[in-house]
């Protein structure tokens, strides 16, 4: 009997028709080829840390857990090709062994690298991009079951689409990344009143390599997090804040943290200049309508503009605001209400988190939306990699009749 699949927060559950764990590219290619000729669908799953139903399927679910390890390393170019099933933590360690690192990381490292790339996962820091920015090529199995290589040198356009692909262009088997030299950071966490933090926000963002803050609606307190190169961090001062924790280490050791309590989350990307106003409006609404039911925090981060077609930060330096809700409590009414504000500020949703937007809402937000869809159609003409959620999200359906 098939086992039920559950995401990290427990808000998504489904039972796939079958779960496949191919051991190499050829086996995966044959699997997709068979699925295509039988009119079936295939979704690839990473670590299940997304809370939008991207991987949901009643048909074939593919796990890439057997695709592990470094395939190729070019020290001069700081390039590494890894097999696509590597977890982020495992990848960080492998990169460090080669003296390399991703320039930035998000809050945890328990996702797969390919899943993080697939949804535009990001950390914070106004000079740093989403993780996908490192992707400069790789290989995938397309909807016809063909193995396709897509080096940046030959097909830079496809790489820009592949950087945030939602699992809709094919199943990646290898990822080629250009990395940066490994580096150490000094991390500090501070407590302050939210008004003091907001009054000083520009300086905090400007002067720290990485800065973000959590606002706690019930107390109006904020937790500030700063990360800087250890030798430069001596000058960091926040006179109105109390430093409550600090540590130093390699970037992969100090940026991600453990998350003991499970939560659901909605997060949107905004033009950087709109961030503070949007946050103030969210804060006002949370206090007016949701404070009784919301004990959790609101997170504010910054990201540099990039050119990946479906990146939340496409062509604009961005701020992200995310709402967390304990996974044992209802989130729907809260998230829907605040999403109205997010949309008023031109917000683009994080693809791996909750949101309520559909193709018609999304298309005007992404200048390269149509081009992404053309490439998707080229890679997967029969919609082998579509599920009902993706069809609605992207506004495209299967062109072949479904398997009876
Ligand atoms: C506790 C927690 C903390 C988080 N922190 C952050 C954060 O700091 N910043 C942030 O931006 N996000 C964050 N997220 C969101 C998370 O990074 C994304 O949802 C990410 O996509 C999850 O990766 P995954 O490995 O779980 O992939 P999944 O959720 O399993 O899949 C994500 C997508 O990748 C696709 N995919 C998987 N494997 C392949 C493959 N081989 N080829 C092609 N496509 C594939 C799937 O089909 C799907 O579309 C967090 C989530 C949680 C639960």
């Amino acid at each position: 009997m098939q086992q039920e699949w559950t995401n990290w927060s427990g808000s998504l559950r489904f039972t796939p028709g079958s779960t496949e764990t191919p051991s190499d590219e050829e086996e995966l290619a044959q699997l997709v080829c068979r699925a295509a000729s039988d009119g079936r669908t295939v979704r690839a799953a990473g670590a299940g840390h997304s809370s939008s139903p991207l991987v949901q399927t009643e048909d074939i679910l593919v796990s890439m857990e057997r695709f592990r390890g470094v395939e190729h390393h070019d020290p001069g170019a700081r390039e590494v090709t890894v097999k696509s099933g590597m977890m982020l933590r495992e990848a960080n360690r492998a990169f460090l062994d080669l003296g390399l690192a991703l320039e930035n990381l998000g809050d945890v490292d328990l996702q797969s690298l390919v899943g993080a790339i697939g949804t535009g996962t990001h950390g914070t820091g106004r000079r740093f991009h989403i993780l996908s920015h490192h992707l400069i090529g790789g290989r995938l199995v397309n909807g016809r079951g063909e193995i396709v290589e897509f080096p940046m040198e030959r097909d830079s356009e496809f790489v820009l689409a592949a950087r945030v692909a939602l699992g809709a262009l094919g199943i990646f088997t290898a990822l080629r990344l250009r990395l940066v030299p490994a580096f150490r950071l000094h991390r500090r966490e501070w407590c302050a009143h939210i008004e003091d933090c907001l009054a000083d926000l520009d300086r905090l963002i400007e002067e720290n390599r990485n800065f973000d803050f959590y606002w706690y609606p019930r107390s109006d307190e904020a937790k500030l997090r700063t990360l800087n190169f250890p030798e430069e961090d001596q000058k960091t001062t926040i006179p109105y804040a109390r430093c409550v924790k600090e540590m130093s280490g390699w970037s992969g050791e100090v940026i991600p943290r453990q998350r003991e309590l499970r939560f659901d989350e909605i997060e949107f990307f905004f033009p950087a200049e709109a961030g503070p106003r949007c946050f103030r409006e969210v804060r006002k609404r949370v206090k007016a309508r949701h404070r009784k039911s919301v004990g959790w925090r609101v997170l504010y981060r910054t990201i540099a503009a990039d050119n990946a077609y479906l990146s939340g930060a496409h062509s604009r330096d961005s701020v992200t605001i995310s709402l967390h809700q304990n996974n044992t409590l209802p989130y729907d009414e809260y998230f829907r209400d605040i999403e109205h504000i997010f949309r008023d500020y031109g917000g683009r949703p994080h693809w791996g988190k909750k949101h309520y937007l559909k193709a018609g809402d999304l298309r005007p937000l992404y200048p390269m939306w149509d081009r992404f869809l053309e490439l998707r159609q080229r890679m997967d003409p029969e919609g082998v990699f579509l599920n009902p959620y993706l069809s609605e999200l992207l506004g495209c359906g299967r062109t072949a009749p479904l398997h009876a």
Side-chain angles (χ1 to χ4, degrees):
M1 206 176 91
Q2 271 300 306
Q3 228 188 332
E4 188 183 55
W5 188 96
T6 311
N7 74 329
W8 179 83
S9 73
S11 63
L12 297 175
R13 291 170 191 279
F14 63 89
T15 305
S18 65
T19 304
E20 307 293 338
T21 50
S23 50
D24 58 37
E25 228 165 32
E26 296 302 328
E27 195 182 327
L28 176 68
Q30 282 168 20
L31 186 159
V32 173
C33 208
R34 259 193 326 271
S37 62
D38 294 349
R40 299 185 63 183
T41 59
V42 183
R43 291 299 295 157
H49 272 52
S50 298
S51 50
S52 55
L54 287 167
V55 305
Q56 189 155 340
T57 180
E58 289 176 2
D59 212 333
I60 304 167
L61 188 71
V62 167
S63 160
M64 299 294 282
E65 65 188 37
R66 289 164 134 182
F67 287 64
R68 296 303 241 278
V70 173
E71 227 180 69
H72 180 72
H73 171 218
D74 177 346
R78 296 194 193 116
E79 283 179 22
V80 177
T81 302
V82 295
K83 293 194 178 148
S84 70
M86 272 180 116
M87 294 295 122
L88 199 47
R89 179 175 295 180
E90 190 186 355
N92 285 336
R93 286 188 187 136
F95 299 158
L96 185 57
D97 286 344
L98 301 173
L100 297 169
L102 296 163
E103 66 170 7
N104 207 8
L105 289 162
D107 265 6
V108 299
D109 57 6
L110 300 175
Q111 311 94 316
S112 64
L113 179 60
V114 70
I117 285 177
T119 59
T121 291
H122 62 93
T124 189
R126 66 175 190 86
R127 286 182 293 274
F128 305 106
H129 305 97
I130 61 171
L131 272 56
S132 312
H133 202 67
H134 290 282
L135 187 77
I136 54 162
R139 289 190 311 280
L140 59 73
V141 171
N142 71 13
R144 295 187 193 89
E146 298 159 345
I147 298 167
V148 179
E149 195 166 5
F150 55 97
M152 189 79 172
E153 299 79 0
R154 206 172 62 216
D155 201 352
S156 57
E157 210 205 356
F158 188 77
V159 172
L160 296 183
R163 281 184 180 168
V164 185
L166 315 176
L169 297 180
I171 301 185
F172 293 106
T173 54
L175 304 169
R176 183 176 144 220
L177 308 165
R178 183 166 298 138
L179 301 171
V180 300
F183 56 97
R184 295 175 69 84
L185 289 173
H186 185 218
R187 174 189 177 107
R188 292 198 231 185
E189 297 177 5
W190 316 70
C191 283
H193 192 275
I194 184 65
E195 284 296 351
D196 291 328
C197 167
L198 292 176
D200 196 19
L201 193 55
D202 290 346
R203 180 186 78 93
L204 291 166
I205 290 170
E206 182 58 36
E207 290 187 0
N208 292 289
R209 182 187 189 276
N210 308 84
F211 170 79
D212 62 15
F213 72 83
Y214 278 116
W215 167 60
Y216 293 85
R218 293 222 173 121
S219 64
D220 237 0
E221 286 225 325
K223 187 203 258 182
L224 286 48
R225 302 185 294 186
T226 57
L227 288 125
N228 291 295
F229 295 122
E231 58 282 9
E232 290 173 8
D233 203 29
Q234 310 313 325
K235 59 178 190 283
T236 304
T237 55
I238 311 182
Y240 50 83
R242 191 163 43 92
C243 179
V244 289
K245 208 187 259 181
E246 58 186 311
M247 65 187 293
S248 288
W250 293 108
S251 56
E253 296 163 353
V254 297
I255 305 180
R257 301 283 80 216
Q258 292 281 98
R259 290 280 168 263
E260 309 296 348
L261 293 173
R262 306 227 166 189
F263 54 82
D264 277 299
E265 188 175 356
I266 181 172
E267 180 173 48
F268 272 63
F269 294 63
F270 310 93
E273 57 283 5
R277 271 183 300 119
C278 181
F279 176 78
R280 285 186 185 281
E281 200 170 328
V282 168
R283 179 171 166 232
K284 207 165 132 196
R285 180 77 63 90
V286 172
K287 287 174 116 176
R289 290 194 193 163
H290 302 287
R291 192 154 51 164
K292 279 205 181 108
S293 58
V294 176
W296 273 46
R297 54 210 180 179
V298 176
L299 173 60
Y300 189 101
R301 300 188 268 193
T302 56
I303 310 165
D306 66 62
N307 49 4
Y309 289 174
L310 295 192
S311 166
H314 182 93
S315 70
R316 60 192 203 194
D317 287 333
S318 298
V319 151
T320 63
I321 299 177
S322 67
L323 315 175
H324 294 68
Q325 176 68 312
N326 187 311
N327 75 338
T328 59
L329 297 172
Y331 61 81
D332 196 59
E333 196 190 324
Y334 173 41
F335 287 180
R336 278 183 192 277
D337 185 36
I338 305 294
E339 189 180 86
H340 291 301
I341 300 177
F342 286 169
R343 293 189 63 183
D344 288 346
Y345 284 85
R348 296 171 177 156
H350 187 306
W351 299 111
K353 303 187 182 180
K354 303 286 185 202
H355 70 88
Y356 304 92
L357 272 53
K358 301 279 183 300
D361 312 309
L362 293 162
R363 186 166 176 254
L365 297 172
Y366 297 86
M368 301 307 288
W369 181 262
D370 289 348
R371 190 63 192 130
F372 180 86
L373 292 191
E374 281 165 26
L375 292 171
R376 191 212 68 76
Q377 178 67 23
R378 196 173 88 196
M379 297 310 284
D380 183 21
E382 294 188 359
V384 175
F385 301 122
L386 292 176
N387 63 9
Y389 173 74
L390 263 181
S391 296
E392 207 178 1
L393 188 82
L394 299 175
C396 50
R398 285 180 65 97
T399 50
L402 266 173
H403 183 59

